[in-house]
Amino acid sequence: MGQAPVVYGQSTRPPRGDYSRAGEDYTCPQDYASYTAADHDTYRRLYERQRALLPGLASQAFIDALPSLGASDHIPRFEEVNERLYKATGWELVGVPGLIPEVPFFTLLAHRKFPVTDWIRKPEEFEYIVEPDIFHDLFGHVPLLFNPVFADYVQRYGQGGLKAQGLGACEMLSRLYWYTIEFGLIREAGKLRAYGAGILSSSGELAYSVQSPEPQRIPLQLARTMRTRYKIDTYQQTYFVIGSFEQLFEMTAADFAPIYERLKGLPEFAADAREAVAT
């Protein structure tokens, strides 16, 4: 029993989370009894702050789905969220101790199981945390899993990830995840809105991504996205925009293998590259 901690990118401190609790698939029960009153208060304050920022910036689909998450004044129990989520889209939440490797991650998504880190940041990390915690995962990701089209896209991503692993194309596919599920923008009724979890759970990047003149915003194109590097420690310099979740789902219906083959050997693009790129 137990797994090795997982690290993505570079960090000067060891990964957080008790991986000795993780099973072979990296999941573990939510250790609800370990949450302190301060933990619940941190969740409440984070939730209240982010909810107040959503109007005019977040996707209406996200705003409409947020109440399905349940309680906002304390950390929700996964089993209570699952009662509603499974009825809505057939998804369920599973606890994990922190970041997990690609294959277990893809496998869980492919089976409509969404991994949620079960620890919460410390009060001194209220403004910024390096690794995703339970607030990021629950508030940022879970509401849109109640949307049937988006929920199907996330499952399709997991299925595609398992195939990409065998083709040596995980880096290209991870960029698609980053620029859609984590940092995607959408046009709703002609207006730019955020739907990516990394944006929706950030007090600063929510307004920046939608309103700032600084970043580049490009209609989502698979090849362009898969060739674009990203930064994990700053606001994004490029965002990719979809017209609807249906468009996103249809765009990813094709077999990616020919795309991977075509892109191998082609130059990558920096996170802030502004060149027009043929796809």
Side-chain angles (χ1 to χ4, degrees), residues 101-111 155-170 173 260:
E102 290 171 333
V103 171
F105 178 68
F106 294 146
T107 300
L108 289 171
L109 296 187
H111 290 88
Q155 180 185 28
R156 177 172 285 171
Y157 180 88
Q159 294 167 337
L162 293 173
K163 185 171 183 179
Q165 180 75 20
L167 297 172
C170 278
L173 194 65
Y260 298 148

Side-chain angles (χ1 to χ4, degrees), residues 115-192:
V116 176
T117 300
D118 70 346
W119 53 261
I120 193 163
R121 69 193 72 183
K122 302 299 182 185
E124 60 268 24
E125 299 170 306
F126 191 81
E127 294 299 332
Y128 175 74
I129 187 168
V130 176
E131 299 170 54
D133 69 343
I134 192 171
F135 177 75
H136 165 82
D137 285 343
L138 279 180
F139 187 95
H141 284 287
V142 174
L144 281 179
L145 289 177
F146 284 86
N147 179 289
V149 178
F150 190 79
D152 285 348
Y153 168 70
V154 178
Q155 180 185 28
R156 177 172 285 171
Y157 180 88
Q159 294 167 337
L162 293 173
K163 185 171 183 179
Q165 180 75 20
L167 297 172
C170 278
E171 179 61 29
M172 284 186 271
L173 194 65
S174 72
R175 292 169 182 167
L176 181 64
Y177 185 95
W178 186 266
Y179 284 118
T180 59
I181 294 172
E182 287 289 358
F183 289 94
L185 297 178
I186 186 172
R187 288 202 181 276
E188 291 180 339
K191 296 182 179 179
L192 201 63

Side-chain angles (χ1 to χ4, degrees), residues 4-16:
V6 178
V7 179
Y8 290 99
Q10 297 181 334
S11 176
T12 57
R13 66 170 179 76
R16 195 177 311 183

Side-chain angles (χ1 to χ4, degrees), residues 46-245:
L46 286 165
Y47 191 108
E48 288 181 355
R49 180 182 68 172
Q50 288 307 115
R51 179 169 55 185
L53 295 173
L54 298 178
L57 298 173
S59 162
Q60 190 61 46
F62 178 86
I63 293 173
D64 291 345
L66 185 59
S68 297
L69 195 56
S72 62
D73 60 348
H74 62 268
I75 298 171
R77 293 180 182 271
F78 294 168
E79 61 263 29
E80 293 177 359
V81 179
N82 283 341
E83 290 179 8
R84 298 183 294 273
L85 183 58
Y86 192 82
K87 290 177 182 177
T89 59
W91 275 81
E92 60 181 311
L93 310 182
V94 292
V96 290
L99 295 170
I100 66 175
E102 290 171 333
V103 171
F105 178 68
F106 294 146
T107 300
L108 289 171
L109 296 187
H111 290 88
R112 297 178 90 88
K113 297 178 186 293
F114 194 84
V116 176
T117 300
D118 70 346
W119 53 261
I120 193 163
R121 69 193 72 183
K122 302 299 182 185
E124 60 268 24
E125 299 170 306
F126 191 81
E127 294 299 332
Y128 175 74
I129 187 168
V130 176
E131 299 170 54
D133 69 343
I134 192 171
F135 177 75
H136 165 82
D137 285 343
L138 279 180
F139 187 95
H141 284 287
V142 174
L144 281 179
L145 289 177
F146 284 86
N147 179 289
V149 178
F150 190 79
D152 285 348
Y153 168 70
V154 178
Q155 180 185 28
R156 177 172 285 171
Y157 180 88
Q159 294 167 337
L162 293 173
K163 185 171 183 179
Q165 180 75 20
L167 297 172
C170 278
E171 179 61 29
M172 284 186 271
L173 194 65
S174 72
R175 292 169 182 167
L176 181 64
Y177 185 95
W178 186 266
Y179 284 118
T180 59
I181 294 172
E182 287 289 358
F183 289 94
L185 297 178
I186 186 172
R187 288 202 181 276
E188 291 180 339
K191 296 182 179 179
L192 201 63
R193 297 290 185 261
Y195 73 90
I199 303 174
L200 294 166
S201 60
S202 166
S203 62
E205 192 154 5
L206 183 54
Y208 171 87
S209 66
V210 173
Q211 298 176 334
S212 173
E214 295 179 19
Q216 175 180 219
R217 301 175 182 89
I218 307 172
L220 182 71
Q221 302 166 359
L222 290 178
R224 175 67 162 95
T225 306
M226 289 179 178
R227 291 171 65 186
T228 304
R229 297 192 295 270
Y230 57 83
K231 295 187 176 182
I232 64 171
D233 55 356
T234 65
Y235 290 170
Q236 300 308 298
Q237 295 163 298
T238 297
Y239 296 96
F240 291 89
V241 185
I242 61 173
S244 67
F245 294 135

